[in-house]
Amino acid sequence: MKKLDIHTGVEQADYAVQLEHVSKIYPGKKEAALNKVSLGFPKGRFSAIMGPSGSGKSTLIHCAAGLDIPTSGRVRLGDVEIGTMKEPQRTKLRRKKVGFVFQSFNLIPSLTVWQNILLPQRLAGVRPDRKWALDVIQRLGLKGREKSYPTELSGGQQQRVALARALAASPEVIFGDEPTGALDLRTGVEVMRLLRDAVNSFKRTVIMVTHDPNAAAWADQVIFLADGKLAGELVSPSVEQVSQRMMELNKI
Ligand code: ADP
Ligand code: MG
């Protein structure tokens, strides 16, 4: 039987990730970093998460991706409940279903581009799909750089390697935490175009934290957070709309 979301009427099967009353209180803290957040990220869409510094964006994405566990509430990745899952099952599932792009690229300096890209599959114990990896490399304009080491590449190239690594394992969801944060404007646009293409051409789901309205405007929807709670949403956002909301949330 198809289960419908009580708030939106969207079929639950159409969500890549769903959070239900998710709260996170870090040890030794009084305030909740996330306070009963319920939301769903639709499959095959590009979602951005925005909000003032300290509003809980990274916490939300870490809980959604199974990198951290909520204090209470439920997190469903596809049709699997991961919020309460213990290590190492959670790690195993994450390696299979999730890709990451961080601000700091997180490439392994002692490994080549090719080795970095195939690393998640090796860690997951799956035979790397070399043909698919080569296709991804080609599409991301990294052909010929397979044997280079990360330090030999520009920031933009390194982020493209990180994206290739995220795509190569064919994950259901790609998470980004400020993926353009360390890049210049032009390279940031390039990375946004590639994330957009991961959704349009590769049919992936992308969920990205950003503080940049220009980056957020590439998304299909923007979710706003303030003080660990949902603070609104924009569909097909423009840069101006996003900037306006952010100014309101920052009380400027
Ligand atoms: P954002 O990414 O929006 O800047 P975070 O999710 O990083 O926000 O942080 C939300 C709140 O939780 C902040 O008050 C922050 O200080 C706190 N916080 C984040 N990570 C930790 C942690 N590992 N331990 C304790 N407190 C944390
Ligand atoms: Mg953060």
Side-chain angles (χ1 to χ4, degrees), residues 208-227:
M208 164 191 82
V209 167
T210 182
H211 61 260
D212 178 2
N214 289 294
W218 285 82
D220 298 307
Q221 57 165 3
V222 185
I223 309 289
F224 293 91
L225 278 183
D227 300 325

Side-chain angles (χ1 to χ4, degrees), residues 49-57 178 209-211 223-226 246 249-250:
I49 300 165
M50 298 193 84
S53 180
S55 58
K57 304 182 295 294
E178 311 241 4
V209 167
T210 182
H211 61 260
I223 309 289
F224 293 91
L225 278 183
M246 282 304 289
L249 289 177
N250 281 313

Side-chain angles (χ1 to χ4, degrees), residues 77 90-99 120 124 126 169-173:
L77 185 61
R90 193 154 46 90
T91 304
K92 223 168 150 186
L93 190 84
R94 197 172 60 227
R95 282 183 179 148
K96 235 168 72 191
K97 294 205 167 197
V98 165
V126 285
S170 295
E172 288 176 17
V173 190

Side-chain angles (χ1 to χ4, degrees), residues 52-59 61-62 103 177-178 209:
S53 180
S55 58
K57 304 182 295 294
S58 293
T59 304
I61 212 163
H62 288 168
Q103 173 171 3
D177 196 351
E178 311 241 4
V209 167

Side-chain angles (χ1 to χ4, degrees), residues 19-38 54-64 66-75 82-85 87 90 225 227-229:
L19 286 79
E20 247 174 76
H21 304 298
V22 169
S23 294
K24 176 79 185 177
I25 303 169
Y26 288 105
K29 292 259 176 151
K30 280 207 188 96
E31 298 279 309
L34 281 181
N35 197 342
K36 300 199 187 98
V37 171
S38 298
S55 58
K57 304 182 295 294
S58 293
T59 304
L60 174 69
I61 212 163
H62 288 168
C63 287
L67 279 172
D68 203 349
I69 45 171
T71 310
S72 60
R74 311 205 308 167
V75 180
I82 57 161
T84 50
M85 205 180 252
E87 296 282 355
R90 193 154 46 90
L225 278 183
D227 300 325
K229 292 187 186 143

